[in-house]
Amino acid sequence: MELQSLCSLVSLAILRLPVALKEFKSKGKEKHNAGYLHDLDTCADITEILINAASTCLQVASPAVLAWGVILQSLRERSIAALEERDDLLPERSNGTPGSAGSPDFENPGQASMRNSGSSLRRGSSTGSDTPQQQSFLEQLLERVMLVSVDGDAIAYLARAAVDGSHVLNIIATLSTSYYSPSGPENGLQSNLRIRHILMDLVRAVLSLMDYQPDLVATTLAVLSGNEDYWGLLRQPREIREIQPAARFLEDDVFMTRIFAVALSRFPFEVLPFLRLCRALASSDVGQKGEGLPTIWSKLASTDCLTCVLPMSFTAYQLLPDDDESSIISLTADLDMFDHEYTTQPTSFKRLKHSDDSVSAHLLNLRQIPRGTTGRVLSETKPLVVLWHHDYCPLAYLGMLLHSAELFEPTLASSAQSSGLSLEAIAEIIDLLSIILLTTIRGAPASKTSLSAFDAAQKVLDTASEGLDLGQDIVSVIFDIFEKELGRQPKTTEEAPLNILLRCTQFAEALLHVMPDRVWPFLGRSCLFGVNGNGSQLGAILASTEMITGRYDLLIGCIHLFESLTDDAINHAVVHKSLTKGVARFEASRPPSTGVSQVVMKKVLPNFQRIMLDVHESITTWKFAQTEQRHEINTRLLFIFNRLLTCCFGIEDQFDTNQKLTASLMPAAEQIVKVFLSSAGAESSLANVTKIIQEGVAEALSIEPRNTLYGIQQTVEALRLATTLLRLNTLLGLERSALEEKTLRNVSLLARCYTSHPIFRQPVVELLRVLVLNADITDDQPASLLGHMGEDAASRFLEVLAMIDEPMCDRDVSVSVWKLLSAVVSKRQQWFAIAVLTGEAPRKLVKKKITESGGHERSSSIFQVALDRLSNIGRLHPQTALAILEFITLAADSWPWILAIVEHHPLFLTVITEYISQVETVTNTTQNRSSQVGMEYYKLQMSSYITEILAMYTHHTRHASNTSYAKELLPNLTYITTAAVLPPEYNASLHSNLRRNFEARFGNCKLTAFKRTSLKQLSLGESFYYDLEIASQMLNSDSSWSGRDQGGGFAAELARANANLSVVEARINLFHSWKLLAVELSRCLGSDSDYQKTMVEVIMDCLRANTKTTLPQIIFERLAQSRADLAFTLLQTLIQEQSPRPEVKSVLITAWDAFRAHGTDLAIVLDGDQAPYCRTLLKILCLSLQAHTSSRTVSSSVERGTIPVNDTQLRLAAANVTLITVLEILKIVVAHGFRSLTTLLHDSPNRAFPDDFSLLAAILRNSLRIPGLERHTTALLSTFADAQTSRYASTLLSWSDQLATNRDPIYGELSINFLLELSSLPALAETLAVEGVLNHISNTNLIKHLRTNRGMGPFDQPVRLYTIWVRGILPLLLNLLHAVGASMAGEISAALNQFHGQLARASATFTYYGKAPVTIDSEPSSAGYVSLSMISEAQTLAVITKILDTYRDAGPSAGVVSSEIMEIMWDRSRVKEDVDTWLQTRSTLRERVVPIGEREEKWARMRPAGHSASRAINKLEEKIVEELEQLMTLLGGKDE
């Protein structure tokens, strides 16, 4: 059938009927390129072929036969006209000219035969307009055609055979409505339009030769409308509407005069032709003149004639004299158009009005024809048919017809019978009103608000309601008809009443766009869905009628209505939320949609949704007369479900569903979640989804052209819904659903679906990607996609997947495929990933170790394809390049061995390195630069991926002991080093103004309500942060959304905000990538002077960027921490490498500025969310101070002449600034900071940590070691005295035992160490002594534990007590003794002897008892074992005792009383003897060395640093020996 239709249409198109007719009408002045008409043999052959086809009544050839007959008829007319001109005949012979208007050439072809012989046709004329050559050609052409052997006139024979024999008019109608494009359903609409235009040319040509008749009207209607119903017109694109045949019909005088004018004059005598023509023409919105009304509106609003039948008994008219033979009559009394008894007194008025007084003159003019009206009798036989010349409104008359049909009788059928109106006519009237409303909606000017469409629709409805009673309108009439028909439907299976219900559904849908406040309440009380609990009439009709007949027109209409209801709820969600207060007196009127209560919506939508879910669940068991209807039902339902879920869960992270914008839709959406995402799931619904995908695969592989658009689209919608549901399952944190399990079991079906049709590729790939991501969420081993496919199917799928987007070169498919592959290589899909990276199936893959000399490379691997494509990165679209770069980045991160493949690629590394060295950032100088901004975030994100790849490759080369690549890469990083650390170009004014203006415009609706969730795949661009698509759906009806000018309005502002946030995100990503590369380069080139300079610049840029920012707090906090981490890591490298670069010292000032910008009160900053960032800044301060401690002083350098004279003052000034900064740090960070930390620890122990005190101690230690600080002793003393630092440190020590965790007094160690650091400066040590620090320490509970008789050794618990003794108390006593001198000796000796247990243990600590060595995990006593801490203890005691002995021996000469200096109870000689024993027995010493702490354990595994005489086997032993030798020196065993 399809091939026959195609042959018929091609045969007709070849003849080029319009061009051929123009060729004959041009009289030789113009040529229209119908070349075959100038070939006599060709025309003769065509005539013979078509006459043979006509003789057998071949229907396939009938359109071409008719067209050729029309062409030949035009040829004959042109030849006769030329003959008459040459013979100087009269210029007009209309009565005998064949083909003139009204001439029945096709009914009596013999009358059109030529009256002259062939010789007479060849006579020339000097007065004709044609040249002799053309006259001769026309005569020859006509003669050749007429010589074809046929009975009678050949031209008439062709026409008669086509019309009467082949029924060509029916063929034309069939071709217009039932043709399927062989090229597939995607091109069906365009093909159908072109076909109908070709057929319309034929119909127009026939109109000049045929009179108005039913078959011709039916054919014209078929050509005008095709197979498009209301629902097809509803979603028809504007570009399609503009080329509809209806638009051409309205502009063609032939069509309007010979078809529409006649149908209009015969109305209401013939109702259906007029209604159907108006319906077909009303669908065209071409020619609207600002009012938003269709072009045909002028004919419906007013006309001056009508035709009706007079009753047999009606005699109130008189015959008027007339010159012609027609009968003209005039009414002598009023004729009631609604009085079906046709009496002179209209009894129907008593029924159609409340009272006679309420009927106005205008209404009387609508309901009756006044006396004196003249008319022409069309039929002389009784009853008379009269064409009246009467001005009235046809649309108002139609409204009155509907009202009269539904008003009185109990059923619509009886009402229609009593009113003389058929049920079919009732349906057509309602359909016409629906189409007119639809056209007004589509024709509303884009520059105006939605109220313009409302005004146009209101005008239509008011006009249709003009003849109705007061208090009634056409809407209530149609809704009453709807309810009346619903009440009787389960009792009948008649088609017409169902048709009326369908038309009423369409009317409700059309009205919903302009008057939702009329539709929602009606549905809320209607019995259609059983909202009131009375049972759904729709379900009853389905069961009793449509499921029996297999035709589901009403169900499809209700599904479309449900879709429009959900659209309306979505489109006006913001309006309902923002307009919560009453309308003020002078406030602008609200749009009609705001009158709909959300209570009604929540009542209607869930009931409707429940029915739709039942339909989707049970549809697999239904029978269908047309498979296309099942496809359409599935397509629309799946689309609605997906749309509901996307709009309800795609935006606004709001836990309270009643506060969401889509609160009215949430109950319906939750029903979908309950059905599809429950652990058990609705098996039938899931089975239907699977069946739809299976059908899609089968139909896509079919060679039949009847694969309708819905047949393919239903599969696409099923795939999209499954993807949305699986994403939603993750978003809501639900357990693994039955849908996911079933989808995994059918992965092989998805693979076949991917290969069956190009349109399936992107949704299949997105579904597979979601499966991969969801499978990786759990800690268990994820399900293998390839494993579920099977080995053969997996191999074939991989082969097709490796083609990426070929041969269609679809960028969207390409991007989706690369994103799927990115998920595969990074989400534990080992088999799949190996196949992608190597090009071989995992079971067949031979394991090969990739080395530097060669790797496992295969040209067929997808990874190799990615490298090859990026080798031409400049030619790739940015979206494609980003997707491929993401794939390579994740692959290298998850599978590091592929970097060997990257290394051996001939171009990849070179190309991406060149790209990153040549890319330029777009300056942020203008606001209106959307295209530049788009390129900017693409460039930044691409640079981010490339930088990360280079970082991983640099790591790879470093482990291969190859640092040459890092050195070669460094000169190409100029752009990255500057662009990556730059503050993101966050447009604060844009976002603040947008937020303020938006919330001012839309009241209670916040801009953050449109923030995207993870339900949709995130991508940079104009819908990055705010969901522009959903926002457009909800706000498009507001004029401020699109704005008056192009690029204005909230839509453009929201797009710019998203683009700006995309730039911010891309720059942040670039920074993180650069962070990885910078750290990796620091490990390779940390000692390189050039890179050290770069590191300093990066550190400074990071700290400066953190000093000032316009970013929102949430973005700044995220970025500031990363910058600080990078600065700390690089600065740590510089300190470790002891960089000689003078720029390192400048970091201190910048670091201090960054800290001050963040906040100086540690109690506040450490008590907030920015505590980690503050701690990182403190670490940076500590390291930057350390850079100054190892430097030589400026003054000494000047004295030695190493600094030029002209730079001396600058260096001295810099040194002074440094010292001033250090004093500020000591005051604010150390002194006040320690007090704040101590207070914070007391008030909120979970907010302050031991590392914080350690940091302050380290800062204090580094600060005090800076050269030149001793000149500012007075300022230091004042700073610490004002902050009462020593008191707070002593206080912390006093209750450190209460803060101990697991008996670990860490805060005791921290406090004593802080006092120790203070005492390192003699002036501060004197202050501590004066303040009685020893007395405070001695009275603390923690110190009392050290005074036990046994003492605490390095292996006793808690270990930290011994650490406090060795590294805290003893060094503190030594510092105080050194700073204060002899006057402090007595107090020191007394304080030290209080620890008699510790001293006794220390005396015997090196005694060897011959015990076997012990392991680290055991807990031996300190005797018989050696550790570094034990040696340090002995060294400190040796120094203290030696100093005290010196003061005691000096006596009065030293200013002391010798008796006041007590003898220390530490056996010096015993220790000396034991140490000497250890040094003499090295092998024994080696066995008895015990490492304490991670550092000593690390030394125990390291080789010794030098070749000393100790012959140590590890670094720890070497240090032990060195420290013991130093101890012997202190004890007097060796010469100093």
Side-chain angles (χ1 to χ4, degrees), residues 537-566:
Q537 288 297 102
L538 175 59
I541 294 172
L542 275 174
S544 64
T545 304
E546 295 199 324
M547 293 180 69
I548 295 175
T549 61
R551 296 183 58 86
Y552 299 88
D553 297 323
L554 180 60
L555 174 60
I556 292 174
C558 291
I559 292 174
H560 283 284
L561 177 59
F562 179 49
E563 182 177 354
S564 296
L565 288 170
T566 57

Side-chain angles (χ1 to χ4, degrees), residues 1097-1267:
E1097 293 174 354
V1098 172
I1099 293 170
M1100 302 285 281
D1101 290 340
C1102 288
L1103 295 176
R1104 290 192 191 104
N1106 284 354
T1107 303
K1108 296 181 180 180
T1109 183
T1110 59
L1111 293 172
Q1113 190 67 19
I1114 186 173
I1115 301 178
F1116 174 75
E1117 291 174 359
R1118 167 184 158 198
L1119 184 57
Q1121 181 63 53
S1122 296
R1123 288 181 185 143
D1125 290 340
L1126 175 60
F1128 171 73
T1129 303
L1130 297 182
L1131 184 58
Q1132 191 176 37
T1133 301
L1134 290 171
I1135 298 300
Q1136 290 174 353
E1137 296 292 338
Q1138 298 182 354
S1139 173
R1141 305 282 313 186
E1143 295 90 346
V1144 179
K1145 297 179 181 179
S1146 61
V1147 175
L1148 176 62
I1149 307 298
T1150 307
W1152 177 236
D1153 291 339
F1155 182 83
R1156 287 190 303 178
H1158 178 62
T1160 57
D1161 191 344
L1162 292 184
I1164 297 177
V1165 294
L1166 292 180
D1167 195 31
D1169 297 333
Q1170 285 289 286
Y1173 174 61
C1174 176
R1175 293 184 174 98
T1176 306
L1177 289 179
L1178 289 174
K1179 293 177 183 178
I1180 295 173
L1181 271 178
C1182 182
L1183 290 178
S1184 60
L1185 287 168
Q1186 188 174 347
H1188 291 265
T1189 60
S1190 59
S1191 302
R1192 293 173 295 179
T1193 62
V1194 175
S1195 58
S1196 61
S1197 300
V1198 172
E1199 291 173 0
R1200 290 193 301 268
T1202 56
I1203 297 180
V1205 177
N1206 55 352
D1207 289 343
T1208 301
Q1209 295 180 351
L1210 294 177
R1211 296 296 181 92
L1212 291 175
N1216 291 333
V1217 172
T1218 299
L1219 291 175
I1220 294 173
T1221 302
V1222 172
L1223 291 174
E1224 290 182 3
I1225 293 173
L1226 288 172
K1227 178 180 180 181
I1228 296 174
V1229 176
V1230 178
H1232 295 283
F1234 187 86
R1235 182 177 63 181
S1236 299
L1237 267 181
T1238 306
T1239 305
L1240 181 64
L1241 178 65
H1242 182 272
D1243 298 337
S1244 303
N1246 59 336
R1247 291 290 185 179
F1249 301 100
D1251 289 344
D1252 300 333
F1253 291 93
S1254 299
L1255 263 178
L1256 295 187
I1259 292 174
L1260 174 61
R1261 179 171 56 254
N1262 291 338
S1263 298
L1264 295 179
R1265 292 179 180 177
I1266 293 178

Side-chain angles (χ1 to χ4, degrees), residues 145-364:
V145 170
M146 299 303 294
L147 289 176
V148 178
S149 177
V150 67
D151 295 336
D153 188 353
I155 300 176
Y157 176 78
L158 289 172
R160 183 171 56 251
V163 175
D164 298 334
S166 301
H167 304 288
V168 68
L169 295 180
N170 295 335
I171 299 299
I172 295 173
T174 302
L175 290 173
S176 299
T177 56
S178 304
Y179 176 75
Y180 291 88
S181 173
S183 58
E186 303 91 334
N187 303 315
L189 187 58
Q190 294 282 355
S191 299
N192 184 264
L193 281 174
R194 288 192 290 268
I195 289 166
R196 285 159 56 195
H197 277 287
I198 293 173
L199 295 173
M200 194 172 185
D201 293 331
L202 180 57
V203 173
R204 188 186 185 282
V206 172
L207 279 177
S208 62
L209 306 174
M210 293 183 66
D211 288 330
Y212 178 93
Q213 53 183 281
D215 290 342
L216 185 58
V217 174
T219 301
T220 304
L221 286 171
V223 173
L224 286 176
S225 301
N227 59 354
E228 295 174 351
D229 56 4
Y230 173 86
W231 309 117
L233 294 173
L234 176 64
R235 293 171 177 84
Q236 195 175 76
R238 176 175 290 274
E239 58 270 16
I240 297 298
R241 298 199 304 267
E242 292 176 352
I243 58 175
Q244 283 284 354
R248 178 179 168 189
F249 185 101
L250 289 166
E251 297 174 354
D252 195 311
D253 292 337
V254 174
F255 280 116
M256 291 299 293
T257 301
R258 301 189 62 85
I259 296 291
F260 184 79
V262 177
L264 176 61
S265 66
R266 299 171 74 89
F267 175 79
F269 174 63
E270 294 178 356
V271 178
L272 292 178
F274 174 72
L275 290 176
R276 289 168 178 166
L277 276 172
C278 289
R279 187 262 186 208
L281 297 177
S283 63
S284 174
D285 53 4
V286 177
Q288 295 177 349
K289 298 179 179 179
E291 296 181 351
L293 295 170
T295 307
I296 200 64
W297 170 254
S298 60
K299 304 296 182 182
L300 290 170
S302 177
T303 189
D304 58 355
C305 63
L306 76 158
T307 301
C308 64
V309 179
L310 294 182
M312 297 291 294
S313 59
F314 186 78
T315 58
Y317 61 87
Q318 60 182 357
L319 185 64
L320 299 179
D322 192 42
D323 295 337
D324 55 18
E325 297 179 357
S326 59
S327 299
I328 305 299
I329 62 174
S330 174
L331 289 176
T332 58
D334 295 340
L335 175 61
D336 183 11
M337 292 188 287
F338 289 91
D339 184 5
H340 306 298
E341 299 298 328
Y342 292 96
T343 60
T344 56
Q345 299 296 328
T347 57
S348 61
F349 281 3
K350 300 176 183 179
R351 300 180 296 180
L352 293 176
K353 63 183 180 178
H354 295 288
S355 64
D356 291 340
D357 296 336
S358 64
V359 181
S360 64
H362 178 66
L363 295 181
L364 287 174

